[in-house]
């Protein structure tokens, strides 16, 4: 394992405590996901030796705090990967596409949060609670992290699949604006200021005229829902809808799984929700589903509608698990369940899952796994 490198990483005694542990690079440490990542790395069991922070040359020299220590950001370069064991990429697709293979060629295992490699057959797509074993087979030295919408439901679906055998998923998403990055959050906040205290929302187009620029969204987000997320692909499907289909199939190892998704953007800052119609090979009961979900790692069952208990984004945001409620057996199909699922798209939907994958690799490298 590489030792502490030549990057500022002060903190009395920490060097000795971390000797022999793997070196981690966080590429994109200054971004929306990177910022959440530094918080998560500071909270979780400390399995890392040096943590090296990397971003664009614009950010070189900035100091960020991780594990309570100030660490200087270095510019992305081949040399930045010297001695790195695991390199996380929280950067745009094109940056990952270019640099993850370079990190791998320098001997690091790259864990990529972008969409650059997710459907590459030589790159595993990993959710540790569902398919941690897949992380070991990585012919390109790269492991992909799924997209946030798929991640927001897949831990719960993986647990139910293991028991009942999944045959079909029909989902609608209710996606938060932070899935569109900082610009998405800024857009909703600015629009909310413009509509607050008004009588808007009673005439066609009154909200649209009031908010003006819709930012990265194809319609107003304040006082509205927008049935479109991502970019337009063939036959009217969006990129986000295709990701839910393709990534669910790959993670669950079910290439023939029937999946239909409709992705909708809602005026929520962070935490994606989904309604799920899940059909199984075997007959299901709510009691059995409750038992599975209540004991599944990474899942919280919150399902007591008589007491008004079900997950909502406002309560789930900032937490790690996948929250599940409103579990019902379909009235017309004894093999199908209806559920409502919420997950923080910046934590389990992005940074947390990447951190968990990196920890799986760290355990393998240090012989703990
Ligand atoms: N937001 C979400 O909910 C979410 C969820 C799952 C996955 N993701 C994926 O995670 C990745 C990061 O998303 P984000 O929302 O965190 O983006 P972001 O806020 O725009 O941050 C981008 C990061 O990449 C760095 N970067 C950009 N161009 C670079 C270059 N040429 N060389 C080196 N570093 C460069 C930036 O550094 P500077 O600050 O120096 O420019 C910054 O640290 C994307 O692939 C995104 O699709 C996002």
């Amino acid at each position: 394992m590489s030792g502490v490198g030549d990057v500022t990483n002060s903190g009395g005694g920490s060097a000795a405590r971390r000797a022999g542990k793997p070196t981690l690079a966080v590429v994109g440490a200054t971004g929306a996901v990177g910022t959440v990542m530094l918080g998560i790395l500071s909270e979780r069991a400390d399995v890392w030796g040096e943590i090296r922070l990397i971003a664009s040359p614009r950010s070189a020299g900035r100091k960020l705090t991780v594990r309570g220590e100030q660490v200087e950001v270095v510019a992305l370069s081949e040399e930045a990967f010297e001695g790195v064991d695991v390199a996380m990429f929280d950067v745009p697709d094109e940056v990952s596409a270019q640099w993850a293979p370079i990190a791998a060629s320098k001997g690091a295992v790259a864990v990529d949060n972008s969409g650059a490699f997710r459907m590459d057959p030589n790159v595993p797509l990993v959710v540790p609670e569902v398919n941690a074993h897949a992380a070991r087979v990585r012919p390109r030295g790269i492991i992909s992290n799924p997209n946030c919408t798929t991640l927001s439901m897949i831990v719960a679906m993986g647990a139910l699949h293991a028991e009942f055998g999944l045959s079909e998923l029909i989902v609608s998403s209710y996606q938060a604006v932070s899935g569109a990055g900082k610009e998405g959050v800024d857009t909703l906040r600015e629009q909310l200021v413009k509509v607050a205290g008004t009588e808007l929302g009673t005439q066609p187009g009154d909200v649209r005229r009031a908010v003006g620029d819709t930012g990265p969204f194809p319609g107003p987000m304040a006082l509205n829902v927008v049935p479109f997320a991502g970019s337009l692909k063939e036959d009217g499907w969006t990129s986000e809808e295709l990701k839910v289909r393709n990534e669910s199939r790959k993670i669950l190892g079910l290439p023939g799984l029937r999946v239909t998704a409709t992705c909708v953007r809602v005026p929520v800052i962070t935490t994606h929700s989904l309604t799920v119609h899940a059909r199984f090979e075997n007959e299901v009961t709510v009691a059995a589903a409750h038992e599975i979900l209540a004991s599944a790692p990474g899942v919280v069952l919150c399902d007591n509608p008589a007491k008004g208990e079900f997950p909502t984004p406002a309560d789930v945001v900032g937490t790690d698990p996948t929250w599940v409620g409103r579990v019902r057996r379909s009235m017309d199909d004894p093999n199908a369940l209806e559920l409502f699922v919420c997950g923080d798209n910046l934590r389990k939907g992005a940074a947390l899952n990447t951190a968990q994958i990196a920890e799986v690799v760290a355990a393998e490298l240090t012989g703990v796994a």
Side-chain angles (χ1 to χ4, degrees), residues 179-227:
K182 188 175 178 305
E183 192 192 356
V185 174
D186 292 345
T187 298
L188 176 57
R189 290 205 187 282
E190 284 161 20
Q191 291 183 2
L192 288 174
V193 170
K194 288 179 181 166
V195 302
T198 70
E199 299 290 317
L200 290 163
T202 56
Q203 300 295 326
D206 62 354
V207 172
R208 191 180 283 274
R209 281 190 296 277
V211 304
D213 182 12
T214 59
F217 307 112
M221 283 313 311
L223 305 181
N224 205 15
V225 297
V226 176

Side-chain angles (χ1 to χ4, degrees), residues 100-243:
I102 293 173
S105 74
K106 304 284 280 184
V109 177
V111 184
D112 182 35
N113 213 338
S114 83
F117 302 99
R118 286 183 190 138
M119 296 315 298
D120 183 326
N122 289 315
V123 174
L125 185 63
V126 175
V127 181
E129 294 89 339
V130 182
N131 64 343
H133 58 277
R136 285 184 174 266
V137 186
R138 40 178 194 261
R140 297 189 63 183
I142 301 170
I143 301 169
S144 260
N145 191 63
N147 123 295
C148 49
T149 314
T150 309
L151 266 173
S152 298
M153 64 155 181
I154 204 72
V155 177
M157 299 326 300
L160 292 170
H161 167 59
E163 181 68 23
F164 299 127
L166 194 61
S167 62
E168 183 170 18
L169 280 175
I170 301 175
V171 307
S172 288
S173 72
Y174 304 75
Q175 293 181 222
V177 294
S178 61
K182 188 175 178 305
E183 192 192 356
V185 174
D186 292 345
T187 298
L188 176 57
R189 290 205 187 282
E190 284 161 20
Q191 291 183 2
L192 288 174
V193 170
K194 288 179 181 166
V195 302
T198 70
E199 299 290 317
L200 290 163
T202 56
Q203 300 295 326
D206 62 354
V207 172
R208 191 180 283 274
R209 281 190 296 277
V211 304
D213 182 12
T214 59
F217 307 112
M221 283 313 311
L223 305 181
N224 205 15
V225 297
V226 176
F228 191 94
S231 56
L232 190 62
K233 299 294 179 191
E234 264 179 43
D235 298 326
W237 296 100
T238 68
S239 55
E240 203 77 0
E241 290 158 354
L242 298 181
K243 284 178 193 174

Side-chain angles (χ1 to χ4, degrees), residues 27-35 54-60 62 73 75-76 89-96 99 112-115 118 145-148 151 178-182 243 272 345-346 349-351:
V27 188
T30 52
V33 176
T35 302
I54 301 175
S56 79
R58 295 179 289 274
S59 304
R62 267 183 71 187
V73 176
L76 182 57
F89 284 80
D90 300 314
V91 292
D93 289 4
E94 62 278 11
V95 181
S96 284
W99 287 92
D112 182 35
N113 213 338
S114 83
R118 286 183 190 138
N145 191 63
N147 123 295
C148 49
L151 266 173
S178 61
K182 188 175 178 305
K243 284 178 193 174
H272 289 348
N345 53 298
L346 295 179

